[in-house]
């Protein structure tokens, strides 16, 4: 007689017989359920995009250095940096 290896479910049920065990069967063909996604090809940023990013961060830095002397609180300065990142994301191509 050939001894068949027990499944994980059977071994788990043998270890804890007093518990009810509910096993959700796994799908054998997972590739059919989830079609393969297309790879996103990223392009290197152009010179114009880099310059826009540097300019926006430079302006945000100057405003961030100016605001404490005008009496603005730290959360306001942080908001300026976040706003500059959002504007940069809208202005650049990639």
């Amino acid at each position: 007689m050939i001894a068949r290896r027990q499944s994980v479910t059977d071994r788990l049920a043998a270890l804890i017989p007093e518990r009810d065990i509910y096993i959700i069967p796994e799908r054998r063909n997972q590739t059919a359920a989830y079609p393969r996604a297309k790879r996103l090809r990223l392009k290197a940023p152009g010179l114009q995009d880099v310059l826009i990013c540097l300019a926006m961060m430079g302006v945000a830095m100057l405003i961030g250095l100016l605001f404490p002397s005008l009496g603005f609180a730290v959360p306001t300065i942080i908001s300026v940096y976040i706003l500059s990142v959002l504007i940069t994301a809208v202005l650049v191509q990639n």
Side-chain angles (χ1 to χ4, degrees):
M1 178 155 104
I2 299 174
R4 194 178 129 217
R5 187 172 177 208
Q6 288 184 333
S7 68
V8 174
T9 310
D10 295 333
R11 286 186 281 164
L12 185 61
L15 286 174
I16 319 169
E18 67 274 0
R19 298 281 181 181
D20 291 333
I21 299 173
Y22 299 98
I23 304 291
I24 300 171
E26 65 181 69
R27 224 178 241 231
R28 293 287 178 206
N29 190 1
Q30 298 229 351
T31 57
Y34 301 104
R36 184 170 217 145
K38 293 182 181 179
R39 278 211 145 180
L40 180 63
R41 295 181 187 235
L42 299 176
K43 297 177 185 175
L47 180 62
Q48 182 180 3
D49 292 340
V50 172
L51 292 176
I52 289 172
C53 182
L54 289 174
M56 288 301 297
M57 293 302 118
V59 169
M61 183 183 67
L62 291 175
I63 292 172
L65 292 173
L66 177 68
F67 270 19
S69 63
L70 296 174
F72 287 99
V74 173
T76 307
I77 299 168
I78 294 171
S79 298
V80 169
Y81 282 106
I82 293 173
L83 180 63
S84 69
V85 170
L86 292 173
I87 292 172
T88 301
V90 169
L91 293 178
V92 298
Q93 298 298 319
N94 292 331

